Amino acid sequence: MKIIVAIKQVPERDAQVHIDSSGQWIEEANLQYAMNEPDAYALEEALQLKEKAGGEVIVISTGPERVSQTIREALAKGADRAIHVVCDDLAARDALGVARLLAAAIQPESPDLLLTGLQSEDLGLGQTGVIVAELLGLPHASLILQVEIIAKEGSKAQIKARRELEEGWFQSIELPSPAVLTIQSGGNKLRYATLMGIKRAKTKEVRTVHAADLGVSAAPAVALEAITLPKKQKSTQILNGSAEEAAAALVEKLKFEARVL
Amino acid sequence: MRVLVILEERGGHISRTSWEAATAALRLAPMQEITAVVIGAQTELPAAEAAAKAFGKVIRVEHPLLAPYTSDGYCAALHQLIQQEGPTQVVFPHTYQVRDYAPALACRSGQALIGDVIEIADGPVFTRQLMQGRLNGSYRHAGNGPCFVSVQAGAFRAELPDAAAATPIETFTPAIDAAQIRTRPGEPFRGSAQTVDLGSAQWIVSVGRGIREAENLPLVQELATALGAELAASRPICDNGWLPMERQVGSSGQSVAPRLYLAVGISGAIQHLVGMKGSQCIVAINKDPDAPIFEVADYGIVGDLFEVVPALTEAVKAAKQ
């Protein structure tokens, strides 16, 4: 089974993000980056499927040069090869524009399965996988926690996936391959790259494709005009002092002001 | 200006989030120019419920293949409706179901969905959250064609005028073929036997990523015990298996509204906030003063939870004596 995993490089979770001088994006200098966590779960699911049923795991990522670091991390964890869609104006493209890049680069590979995280931790659009499925004419299922191959006939497989619904409800959903699944975090346990894996990753193939060569429109249907700091919904009383002082002040407040103790 | 609002049914009634989405649509057009859309295999009852409000009209998109929900069925049916109606905007509640099909539906019209919108200003300019709620982004529709928008739960208060005269109800029968529907969804089921009812808890201490390791959980458990509170968690803690899923608060877990919600080491991603922002009193303990949890907190302590939590446990014990 040939599985492609679309991964995104995002600012590290604890990174301090600041609005840049254009007011339309964040300052990228000195920012630390990491693999988007739901994508890490998608990669893990793909690696486990390969371990069970054999095949190949290919990662694809779009973005500037720095993305190659996240691609290497995926290769070190066990992906066989990678495609880097080099794109320096990713932030100016909308979800459809990014999905068009990915779909154009994925199409010639004809994968049996395409996995990606259900959303990114930076923009949180949660649309890429679903749009790529639409562009490639493939069925999809979203918010998937576990994937199982229940029947195989030649190159066609029937997939059974566990889908998370709201408020603690689940359903199982079946669909034929080739298909797209967007993966929810928490369905499996993430592995770390081993030293051997890191060493091997250096010799694995990373094919570079330039966004401009894919022949897709970069004109967005939706434009991000400005980034601002959120308005506070409540006025928070911050309690200062040492841990003991702040704790004592909080207990006072909870008891006599909020009256919840 | 013609706006379609896609309403969802839940438990036999049109959902609260659908009414909120319809209220948000009032920022785009007056009520008479808004068409309420109900979709499914049997839509008579939700259509009647929608018609009690002063919408321009109600459209029943009905076909036997529209139950159960599938992305393929909904996209085929609603795309045909959009082609017939030619709306300027299509508005949805931002639910798990909408997230499953609306991006594909928008793509079919050559558009991109503006998802999870929390505010609509003149323009129209749509605001949605970025970077896990640390920043807001203002978006404008730039494409030629309908603008697709989904509205975050709780961002708008449902307030719609009642119909003075009978709202016209039309039926739209899409052409759908069984072969177009490629996915086979099963019946929804509960994950595990629910033994903890966080929904009725009066005091909740909730723990997030800031706790770093499972071995550190007793620290927070001691605070919960001192307060007589239930212990809850944000998603990553349950994903790691450190606490059972049934203790998860947020859009994929339980929704809670206790008298006191004390968030320890929780940054406050949108998915968590929707599950707890209705709490009477919210306290946040976090080392990052810019963490979005402080946007909804009544009281906050910016500091190292490994120092603050034990101090707070002692202070609570002393106060209760």
Side-chain angles (χ1 to χ4, degrees):
Chain A
M1 177 162 266
K2 187 178 192 176
I3 308 171
I4 296 190
V5 186
I7 58 174
K8 184 177 186 183
Q9 188 186 54
V10 295
E12 218 168 49
R13 183 176 291 274
D14 290 335
Q16 295 290 324
V17 287
H18 300 286
I19 302 166
D20 73 7
S21 56
S22 75
Q24 292 183 310
W25 195 235
I26 51 168
E27 281 176 16
E28 292 201 347
N30 307 321
L31 208 52
Q32 296 291 312
Y33 289 91
M35 191 187 303
N36 182 44
E37 191 173 82
D39 296 340
Y41 279 99
L43 174 63
E44 181 59 40
E45 192 65 48
L47 294 173
Q48 289 191 16
L49 281 171
K50 182 194 155 180
E51 281 158 8
K52 273 179 231 148
E56 187 184 21
V57 173
I58 307 157
V59 292
I60 183 166
S61 189
T62 178
E65 171 53 34
R66 60 172 156 78
V67 169
S68 56
Q69 187 195 335
T70 299
I71 289 176
R72 285 289 164 205
E73 185 190 332
L75 293 173
K77 285 186 172 188
D80 298 291
R81 61 185 169 93
I83 304 167
H84 180 181
V85 181
V86 180
C87 177
D88 292 324
D89 63 348
L90 203 61
R93 296 178 193 240
D94 58 14
L96 179 59
V98 173
R100 278 181 176 141
L101 286 179
L102 290 171
I106 288 166
Q107 190 145 42
E109 293 280 353
S110 305
D112 300 301
L113 207 52
L114 170 63
L115 305 184
T116 190
L118 85 159
Q119 65 187 21
S120 62
E121 294 171 304
D122 53 357
L123 297 181
L125 295 169
Q127 301 187 33
T128 309
V130 176
I131 303 176
V132 171
E134 171 71 18
L135 292 171
L136 295 175
L138 302 179
H140 78 267
S142 62
L143 293 144
I144 298 304
L145 284 164
Q146 274 140 26
V147 186
E148 206 186 326
I149 309 298
I150 52 170
K152 229 179 155 207
E153 213 185 295
S155 64
K156 284 268 178 194
Q158 186 71 9
I159 299 150
K160 187 176 174 182
R162 183 176 162 131
R163 175 161 191 254
E164 186 181 271
L165 306 173
E166 280 151 309
E167 290 170 358
W169 289 83
F170 299 87
Q171 76 179 161
S172 75
I173 184 163
E174 287 185 27
L175 65 174
S177 78
V180 179
L181 303 174
T182 77
I183 305 294
Q184 169 68 290
S185 57
N188 44 37
K189 229 176 151 42
L190 299 180
R191 71 187 65 192
Y192 291 100
T194 60
L195 266 176
M196 184 60 95
I198 293 166
K199 222 169 143 187
R200 278 199 191 130
K202 289 179 181 148
T203 60
K204 287 178 178 172
E205 178 197 316
V206 180
R207 189 157 58 82
T208 303
V209 184
H210 290 274
D213 298 336
L214 288 170
V216 303
S217 164
V222 163
L224 175 56
E225 285 203 326
I227 293 183
T228 51
L229 287 170
K231 281 186 278 220
K232 286 180 87 64
Q233 296 172 25
K234 279 186 181 177
S235 57
T236 310
Q237 290 188 45
I238 298 289
L239 305 166
N240 295 309
S242 68
E244 287 71 22
E245 287 161 0
L250 177 61
V251 169
E252 283 290 299
K253 294 278 184 191
L254 294 180
K255 212 169 166 180
F256 299 110
E257 197 174 84
R259 295 166 189 262
V260 291
L261 273 195
Chain B
M1 191 73 73
R2 294 211 309 192
V3 181
L4 297 182
V5 180
I6 316 297
L7 305 177
E8 281 186 3
E9 211 184 325
R10 211 163 174 171
H13 288 281
I14 288 172
S15 68
R16 184 177 50 81
T17 52
S18 297
W19 294 127
E20 289 170 0
T23 308
L26 280 171
R27 302 277 176 95
L28 302 169
M31 201 65 183
Q32 304 84 320
E33 290 174 28
I34 301 175
T35 297
V37 178
V38 291
I39 172 169
Q42 285 173 334
T43 56
E44 195 181 339
L45 289 175
E49 204 183 339
K53 300 293 175 188
F55 291 113
K57 62 177 173 179
V58 174
I59 299 180
R60 298 169 56 183
V61 178
E62 199 170 286
H63 195 286
L65 289 171
L66 291 173
Y69 159 80
T70 59
S71 172
D72 287 337
Y74 270 46
C75 281
L78 290 173
H79 185 61
Q80 290 166 30
L81 178 73
I82 287 165
Q83 285 182 315
Q84 177 189 289
E85 294 292 310
T88 47
Q89 281 113 354
V90 186
V91 180
F92 310 82
H94 190 73
T95 61
Y96 276 29
Q97 185 167 296
V98 163
R99 289 165 67 177
D100 189 57
Y101 76 87
L105 178 66
C107 174
R108 223 165 266 196
S109 295
Q111 303 300 320
L113 172 76
I114 307 177
D116 216 4
V117 162
I118 56 169
E119 213 176 283
I120 302 175
D122 289 346
V125 174
F126 303 92
T127 304
R128 56 183 303 281
Q129 294 167 298
L130 306 174
M131 307 287 161
Q132 309 273 320
R134 282 161 203 268
L135 296 172
N136 282 346
S138 313
Y139 288 81
R140 208 184 268 266
H141 180 237
N144 298 314
C147 167
F148 293 76
V149 179
S150 68
V151 178
Q152 188 175 101
F156 291 82
R157 227 179 93 161
E159 270 176 349
L160 292 165
D162 290 325
T167 306
I169 301 178
E170 295 173 7
T171 300
F172 178 81
T173 309
I176 314 175
D177 178 12
Q180 278 174 282
I181 296 176
R182 299 165 293 182
T183 56
R184 283 221 309 269
E187 279 295 312
F189 59 90
R190 272 252 171 230
S192 56
Q194 214 76 16
T195 56
V196 188
D197 182 14
L198 294 178
S200 62
Q202 294 290 300
W203 293 272
I204 292 177
V205 172
S206 197
V207 57
R209 255 180 225 273
I211 197 71
R212 292 206 286 252
E213 286 173 32
E215 289 65 39
N216 299 329
L217 281 174
L219 202 69
V220 185
Q221 177 66 63
E222 279 163 30
L223 174 59
T225 306
L227 280 164
E230 284 286 355
L231 186 61
S234 64
R235 181 167 189 115
I237 301 300
C238 301
D239 279 354
N240 285 333
W242 297 351
L243 282 174
M245 284 289 181
E246 60 180 1
R247 291 196 180 268
Q248 184 190 321
V249 168
S251 58
S252 51
Q254 298 197 47
S255 286
V256 301
R259 293 179 64 193
L260 173 65
Y261 189 89
L262 208 155
V264 177
I266 293 177
S267 68
I270 306 147
Q271 294 83 353
H272 186 75
L273 297 186
V274 296
M276 49 63 78
K277 66 183 177 187
S279 305
Q280 190 188 322
C281 176
I282 298 172
V283 177
I285 299 171
N286 204 293
K287 66 178 189 321
D288 177 6
D290 296 325
I293 189 78
F294 288 118
E295 283 161 36
V296 299
D298 298 281
Y299 302 103
I301 298 177
V302 179
D304 181 354
L305 74 88
F306 296 99
E307 290 173 15
V308 175
V309 170
L312 186 56
T313 304
E314 289 312 311
V316 168
K317 279 184 189 164
K320 286 211 163 182
Q321 265 171 10

